[in-house]
Amino acid sequence: MNVTGHTRRPASIRDVATAAGVSYQTVSRVINGHPSVKPTTRERVLAAIDELGFRRSATALALASGRSRAVTVLTANTTHYGYASILQGIEEAARAESYAVGIGVLESADEAAIAAEVRRAADTGGGLIVIAYDPAGVRALGAVPAELPVVGVVETPASPPDPGHPWVWADDREAAYQATRHLLSLGHETVHYVAIPSSTRRTSARTSGWRQALREAGAPESRPVQGSWGPAGGHAAGRKLARDPAVTAILCGNDDLALGVLRALHEAGRSVPGEVSVAGFDDAPHSAYLTPSLTTVRLDFTGLGRSAFALLHGVLEESARVDPHPVSVPELVVRESSGPPPATV
Amino acid sequence: MNVTGHTRRPASIRDVATAAGVSYQTVSRVINGHPSVKPTTRERVLAAIDELGFRRSATALALASGRSRAVTVLTANTTHYGYASILQGIEEAARAESYAVGIGVLESADEAAIAAEVRRAADTGGGLIVIAYDPAGVRALGAVPAELPVVGVVETPASPPDPGHPWVWADDREAAYQATRHLLSLGHETVHYVAIPSSTRRTSARTSGWRQALREAGAPESRPVQGSWGPAGGHAAGRKLARDPAVTAILCGNDDLALGVLRALHEAGRSVPGEVSVAGFDDAPHSAYLTPSLTTVRLDFTGLGRSAFALLHGVLEESARVDPHPVSVPELVVRESSGPPPATV
DNA sequence: GACCCCTATGTGACCGGTCACAATCCTGGC
DNA sequence: GCCAGGATTGTGACCGGTCACATAGGGGTC
């Protein structure tokens, strides 16, 4: 029955209190579901709340109680498929717990800029989730003050930049291992690798999974070709590889790189999968519709995001602690872009 | 010189005040750059701030002053290229003005769910930007209470769902018009259209731009084929169109749809652009690397996001009002997927 | 009937800032 | 030397909630 007219200041608990003829504390008890409130009183208060259109101020709640029910996600990018999916997963889980989701983009990998961004995020209050798949993210994770509740979404669980912080990860190493084994099992002598920018100075999880598969098979190892995140990087790398007739199988650090590689091979007149097999990483939505459709490894980014939030939620609230390090299992998706090597050598 | 040890409560302005030997109000004046503070005093306060590592609480600021320096972006999706790019643009502009960016995903188009999400966003305080490219977004924009500062990113400026709210838009109509003209100019008798889900019950801006070009050229008009957002929808639509030998040119509502169409044509054995020309919409990063590379219309989504924020910023703060309805000019990008129709009919 | 405990409710202080107003200091003009 | 008036600085109340503690009524129990 909200027949109010003018744009006026929203109702506070004191407004509700006077309307219901009780004290503000009683109103507070009602909205918090405190047990010892007489049913009739509760009814009266609820009616007043309804009539005045009262909504509890998140700001005041945060200030008074300390707990803010908010997460800020720090990421280097929002447009890449993997990042965007993780974000979507976080948002989904956060919404279910009625947490607010904030986002901060780490535009530059510059120490000072990152520190500033981390401070800004910290000012917001609440928890932090840092997507640390790239140098900027890794630095940001490292720059988070120890007392702040934070969860990292990392590439390599073996080397968390800051041991005090919990993290989630997808098993990239296993995924790369599987993809490489798949290519080797088709008969390729070896597999070349086009890498995404490494998150650390050391080799990435994807790189080491690839290498491990080669070693186990006794296949010759080549240096990974350094790519970027997008198709342009893959295209450049693909041009180099296309010139080498010995190259018959290429694993790419993500599907966008693979797309660029595919294009470069096409331009060089090398057929896929006839002459060269290509495998991607991530199973982006478009990969199934490329021509040739792309063999890749599917990772559950959305689930990863949800896990990250669940973990943070556990850190923030005593209530439901969760399994510290959930791992999603990668799934090899074989499509048209991979096949046996050319018959004769 | 922050040699503090334990994890203790962050410093407040009163802590700074006692440390500097002044009143809390003076500290407030210093952090707000108020002119009438004696330089020596200011120095002392700044030193204390530095030493205690003081950071002004955004929460307390918001509560006390009312202004919250925050934007919440409401969107149906974060993973699609266009949406993600708009978001990135908003974040970029917001960061420059040191605004916090929140995000809420409209998972369902259900009225109640949307209303709940809008309320949640409103609770956060600050401004709202609603990406109203789809039914969920349009509804959300409509559900925003009149007193809330909000900017819509809409598809069709002609019919803003709520006239009270300002909006920005990219000239989708012009873009579709250009793309259609391009295909017609190559000699195609007509152009078929695979549509994205319309944001309104009426036809979308893209649809009407396409139709206008057909009318002006006196080309026969067909009913738009209803697609979805992703490549799967395009694939389904493409299969239908591939069966009709009269179809020689297809415009798609976005690049993902075009990808699906391309794939369907390939599977049906119809060559692109030999037998059929295809054009997309948006110029997603991967479109240049497809085979054939995709003719499309580039839209400056990031710029659109920046404009949206600028507009909201103007609404929120008296200071710098901006040009109410900035429009970015679409740019036709001709690539391999479009060409003249087959020689004989 | 005194005593105790539990239920139901109210009161004052506080979270960390801002705002409006009062109080003090200093300086120039006459 | 006195006073107006701007420059500086301080005080109390408030934003909208929460928290810790006090207060008033009922039942039991002995």
Side-chain angles (χ1 to χ4, degrees):
Chain A
M1 305 303 128
N2 194 346
V3 206
T4 63
H6 304 278
T7 298
R8 61 156 183 247
R9 177 173 55 72
S12 75
I13 55 169
R14 325 219 177 211
D15 299 329
V16 174
T18 53
V22 295
S23 79
Y24 53 82
Q25 182 60 274
T26 300
V27 177
S28 173
R29 289 198 179 93
V30 170
I31 59 184
N32 287 305
H34 191 94
S36 62
V37 176
K38 206 198 301 188
T40 55
T41 312
R42 185 193 313 280
E43 286 311 315
R44 230 164 353 121
V45 171
L46 287 176
I49 285 178
D50 203 57
E51 176 172 3
L52 274 60
F54 167 82
R55 304 224 80 212
R56 176 227 249 119
S57 155
T59 308
L61 174 64
L63 180 59
S65 70
R67 47 194 140 87
S68 69
R69 298 191 80 75
V71 207
T72 301
V73 181
L74 249 34
T75 175
N77 188 287
T78 65
T79 60
H80 286 311
Y81 173 66
Y83 291 79
S85 300
I86 293 174
L87 178 59
Q88 186 121 341
I90 293 172
E91 198 279 342
E92 193 181 314
R95 178 152 33 85
E97 297 289 340
S98 64
Y99 266 62
V101 180
I103 134 171
V105 173
L106 307 163
E107 198 161 35
S108 120
D110 172 52
E111 287 286 358
I114 285 181
E117 197 53 30
V118 169
R119 274 197 303 274
R120 268 171 47 74
D123 286 351
T124 308
L128 233 56
I129 294 180
V130 181
I131 302 186
Y133 265 77
D134 46 70
V138 170
R139 267 184 210 165
L141 189 53
V144 176
E147 70 271 19
L148 243 54
V150 61
V151 166
V153 181
V154 302
E155 188 193 21
T156 317
S159 61
D162 197 324
H165 304 321
W167 24 260
V168 295
W169 85 99
D171 201 341
D172 281 17
R173 184 193 164 90
E174 170 65 19
Y177 178 77
Q178 278 186 26
T180 309
R181 297 253 324 171
H182 162 67
L183 291 168
L184 290 173
S185 76
L186 288 168
H188 294 274
E189 195 198 349
T190 188
V191 174
H192 291 258
Y193 180 59
V194 178
I196 50 176
S198 171
S199 65
T200 55
R201 282 167 206 85
R202 286 173 291 173
T203 54
S204 70
R206 297 186 181 187
T207 306
S208 77
W210 161 70
R211 190 158 277 151
Q212 182 189 348
L214 292 187
R215 289 216 177 117
E216 286 185 12
E221 295 175 39
S222 57
R223 279 180 44 129
V225 183
Q226 203 53 41
S228 61
W229 285 95
H235 188 246
R239 269 161 59 164
K240 279 188 211 137
L241 291 169
R243 280 198 292 270
D244 182 351
V247 173
T248 66
I250 304 174
L251 173 66
C252 301
N254 71 31
D255 282 2
D256 276 347
L257 284 175
L259 176 60
V261 167
L262 243 29
R263 175 76 195 180
L265 291 172
H266 168 75
E267 289 170 358
R270 302 197 65 183
S271 73
V272 176
E275 296 173 63
V276 184
S277 286
V278 175
F281 217 112
D282 292 354
D283 194 26
H286 54 77
S287 299
Y289 294 90
L290 298 176
T291 302
S293 60
L294 188 66
T295 292
T296 186
V297 197
R298 179 177 303 155
L299 294 173
D300 180 16
F301 288 117
T302 312
L304 196 58
R306 280 193 297 262
S307 298
F309 177 79
L311 191 52
L312 182 64
H313 192 212
V315 171
L316 254 37
E317 298 179 26
E318 289 297 319
S319 58
R321 283 288 157 79
V322 289
D323 180 26
H325 303 137
V327 187
S328 68
V329 183
E331 178 192 351
L332 181 67
V333 182
V334 178
R335 299 205 185 95
E336 297 167 355
S337 71
S338 60
T344 47
V345 183
Chain B
M1 305 299 131
N2 193 345
V3 206
T4 63
H6 305 278
T7 299
R8 60 155 183 248
R9 178 173 54 73
S12 75
I13 56 168
R14 325 220 176 209
D15 298 329
V16 174
T18 54
V22 296
S23 80
Y24 53 81
Q25 182 61 273
T26 300
V27 176
S28 174
R29 290 197 180 94
V30 170
I31 59 184
N32 287 306
H34 191 94
S36 63
V37 175
K38 206 201 298 188
T40 54
T41 312
R42 184 190 314 278
E43 285 310 315
R44 235 170 342 129
V45 171
L46 288 175
I49 284 178
D50 202 59
E51 177 170 5
L52 272 61
F54 166 82
R55 305 224 80 211
R56 176 227 249 121
S57 155
T59 307
L61 174 64
L63 179 59
S65 70
R67 49 194 140 87
S68 70
R69 297 190 81 75
V71 207
T72 301
V73 181
L74 248 34
T75 175
N77 187 287
T78 65
T79 61
H80 286 312
Y81 174 66
Y83 291 79
S85 299
I86 293 174
L87 177 60
Q88 186 121 343
I90 293 172
E91 198 279 342
E92 194 181 314
R95 180 151 33 84
E97 296 290 340
S98 63
Y99 265 62
V101 180
I103 134 171
V105 173
L106 307 164
E107 197 162 35
S108 120
D110 172 51
E111 287 287 358
I114 286 182
E117 197 53 30
V118 169
R119 274 198 304 275
R120 268 170 46 72
D123 286 350
T124 309
L128 231 56
I129 293 179
V130 181
I131 302 184
Y133 265 79
D134 47 70
V138 170
R139 268 184 209 165
L141 189 52
V144 176
E147 71 270 19
L148 243 54
V150 62
V151 166
V153 181
V154 302
E155 188 193 19
T156 316
S159 61
D162 197 326
H165 303 320
W167 25 258
V168 295
W169 86 99
D171 201 342
D172 280 17
R173 183 192 165 89
E174 170 65 19
Y177 178 77
Q178 277 187 26
T180 308
R181 299 251 324 169
H182 162 68
L183 290 168
L184 290 173
S185 76
L186 288 168
H188 295 273
E189 196 199 347
T190 188
V191 174
H192 292 258
Y193 180 58
V194 178
I196 50 176
S198 172
S199 65
T200 56
R201 282 167 204 85
R202 286 171 292 174
T203 54
S204 70
R206 296 186 184 189
T207 305
S208 77
W210 159 71
R211 189 159 277 151
Q212 182 187 349
L214 291 187
R215 290 215 177 118
E216 285 185 11
E221 295 176 37
S222 57
R223 278 180 43 129
V225 182
Q226 203 53 41
S228 61
W229 285 96
H235 188 246
R239 269 159 60 160
K240 280 188 211 137
L241 290 169
R243 281 198 292 269
D244 182 352
V247 173
T248 67
I250 304 174
L251 174 64
C252 300
N254 72 30
D255 283 1
D256 275 348
L257 284 175
L259 176 60
V261 168
L262 243 29
R263 175 75 195 182
L265 291 172
H266 168 76
E267 289 171 359
R270 302 195 66 183
S271 73
V272 176
E275 298 173 59
V276 184
S277 286
V278 175
F281 217 112
D282 292 355
D283 194 26
H286 53 77
S287 299
Y289 292 91
L290 297 176
T291 302
S293 59
L294 189 66
T295 291
T296 187
V297 199
R298 179 177 303 156
L299 294 173
D300 181 15
F301 288 116
T302 312
L304 196 58
R306 279 193 298 261
S307 299
F309 177 78
L311 192 51
L312 181 65
H313 191 211
V315 172
L316 255 37
E317 298 178 26
E318 289 298 319
S319 56
R321 283 290 156 78
V322 289
D323 181 25
H325 303 136
V327 186
S328 68
V329 184
E331 179 192 350
L332 181 68
V333 183
V334 178
R335 298 207 184 94
E336 296 166 355
S337 69
S338 61
T344 47
V345 183

